[in-house]
Amino acid sequence: MCGIAGLFIKATRLQPRLGELLASMTSTLCSRGPDSAGFALYTAEEPGKTKLTLTSVDARTDYDRLGDMLSRSLGASVSLTSRHTHAVLSVPTALAQSCRDWLLENAKDIRILSEGLNLEIYKEVGYPDEVAHSFDIGCIAGTHGIVHTRMATESAVTTTGAHPFSTGPDQCLVHNGSLSNHASLRRELRRDGIVVQTENDTEVAAGYLTRELKRGRTLGEALRSSVDDLDGFFTFVVGTKNGFGVLRDPIACKPAVMAETDDYVAFASEYRSLTCLPGIKNARVFEPKPATPYFWEH
């Protein structure tokens, strides 16, 4: 079942409302996925810095101490902002890989949910409205974002098993559907150097797009090739640093509706999720066609 939504803001005056609008859109999708929820938001960039969103499988609470230890080890200033069960590390971009390596070696409970100049991911087990409230999503400003409410059908209901998934810098994906060839493709991606941390089929789809982008394809080209390479039924909403994309499988059995105005492009599993958006009565509302990539960029 699951519910997915996304919002790509064109008008800068709406950027302060990104989190507020996404939280409202998500609220109408709670019944589609009451197990867990997640939000990927593209926020303001800090020049020369890379953000890493962290969570802990052991419910760590001493993120400040972790940041101090990391600063001493790297010999550079590391800023850390805690938000509910997550934390966002801001590190000099040149030291991002060293930061990853240090966390892998010295903080075995930590999982890196995202890395990039703009992307932050917050996801947790629980009823979607409560997840949004716990992370104070409504107060986050940004340019675009995607969300997911999960009804688990395969992999475990855990924080790391929730959507969105990010497998490359400033890239993320949410998914409604099921992939049948995810096990073989996961092995293939790992051989190609793509880090896949869970058994969730959606992370495989995210990893596939990351690999294709690394090979030099545009987002549109990567989405087109996925129609042939991914078996199953799916609707994807994808985020990149500057872009927002949507793709449905050739059968298009999962519900999807889009709306576009001069101020934004929005996607949701149900039209009622779009009704909170400003100017929706005057929007061009349409159903995305099967096997047809849609994408916008700033």
Side-chain angles (χ1 to χ4, degrees):
M1 183 115 161
C2 298
I4 54 178
L7 182 62
F8 179 86
I9 292 178
K10 302 177 186 179
T12 55
R13 61 181 173 78
L14 287 180
Q15 291 180 7
R17 297 184 62 193
L18 175 68
E20 170 205 337
L21 294 172
L22 282 174
S24 295
M25 293 172 72
T26 306
S27 186
T28 63
L29 299 173
C30 290
S31 61
R32 296 188 64 88
D35 298 333
S36 57
F39 301 79
L41 304 105
Y42 289 84
T43 62
E45 183 175 331
E46 187 178 352
K49 296 293 183 69
T50 291
K51 301 177 185 180
L52 293 91
T53 311
L54 312 179
T55 191
S56 168
V57 295
D58 293 339
R60 175 191 288 263
T61 58
D62 63 339
Y63 283 118
D64 289 336
R65 178 172 173 271
L66 181 68
D68 291 341
M69 293 169 60
L70 186 55
S71 293
R72 290 195 297 271
S73 178
L74 296 179
S77 175
V78 171
S79 62
L80 182 147
T81 302
S82 296
R83 190 179 285 271
H84 189 38
T85 56
H86 294 13
V88 177
L89 278 175
S90 181
V91 303
T93 297
L95 296 177
Q97 185 58 53
S98 297
C99 179
R100 273 185 165 272
D101 293 342
W102 188 91
L103 290 169
L104 183 64
E105 179 66 26
N106 298 280
K108 305 291 187 182
D109 63 303
I110 291 294
R111 300 293 181 269
I112 300 174
L113 300 180
S114 66
E115 177 182 337
L117 302 180
N118 302 90
L119 178 61
E120 300 175 15
I121 287 182
Y122 303 101
K123 57 185 185 178
E124 194 54 271
V125 173
Y127 198 66
D129 278 345
E130 295 172 1
V131 173
H133 177 74
S134 295
F135 285 111
D136 202 13
I137 296 298
C139 292
I140 301 177
T143 55
H144 53 299
I146 62 178
V147 302
H148 186 272
T149 64
R150 186 182 184 207
M151 180 176 289
T153 56
E154 294 183 12
S155 56
V157 179
T158 63
T159 302
T160 52
H163 306 207
F165 284 98
S166 177
T167 53
D170 282 314
Q171 297 169 20
C172 62
L173 178 145
V174 294
H175 167 213
N176 182 20
S178 180
L179 301 180
S180 57
N181 65 332
H182 64 92
S184 59
L185 188 53
R186 183 182 292 105
R187 292 191 294 270
E188 182 181 315
L189 291 171
R190 284 172 172 161
R191 287 196 298 269
D192 291 338
I194 303 299
V195 177
V196 181
Q197 301 183 73
T198 74
E199 297 303 309
N200 193 300
D201 58 342
T202 303
E203 189 177 18
V204 170
Y208 172 86
L209 293 179
T210 296
R211 185 185 68 181
E212 298 308 300
L213 291 172
K214 283 186 173 181
R215 289 176 171 176
R217 286 182 165 175
T218 65
L219 176 59
E221 291 169 340
L223 289 171
R224 288 187 189 96
S225 67
S226 71
V227 174
D228 296 322
D229 294 339
L230 301 179
D231 294 333
F233 51 95
F234 54 82
T235 296
F236 295 143
V237 183
V238 181
T240 65
K241 185 179 188 299
N242 298 311
F244 171 83
V246 171
L247 178 68
R248 303 173 81 189
D249 68 78
I251 300 175
C253 63
K254 291 297 182 180
V257 61
M258 300 197 70
E260 184 170 12
T261 72
D262 290 340
D263 292 338
Y264 59 79
V265 179
F267 170 94
S269 296
E270 301 178 10
Y271 175 75
R272 62 176 180 156
S273 185
L274 304 177
T275 57
C276 64
L277 298 174
I280 189 63
K281 291 182 179 179
N282 299 316
R284 180 175 74 94
V285 178
F286 61 99
E287 182 179 348
K289 296 178 181 179
T292 303
Y294 296 79
F295 54 96
W296 292 261
E297 289 187 320
H298 286 120

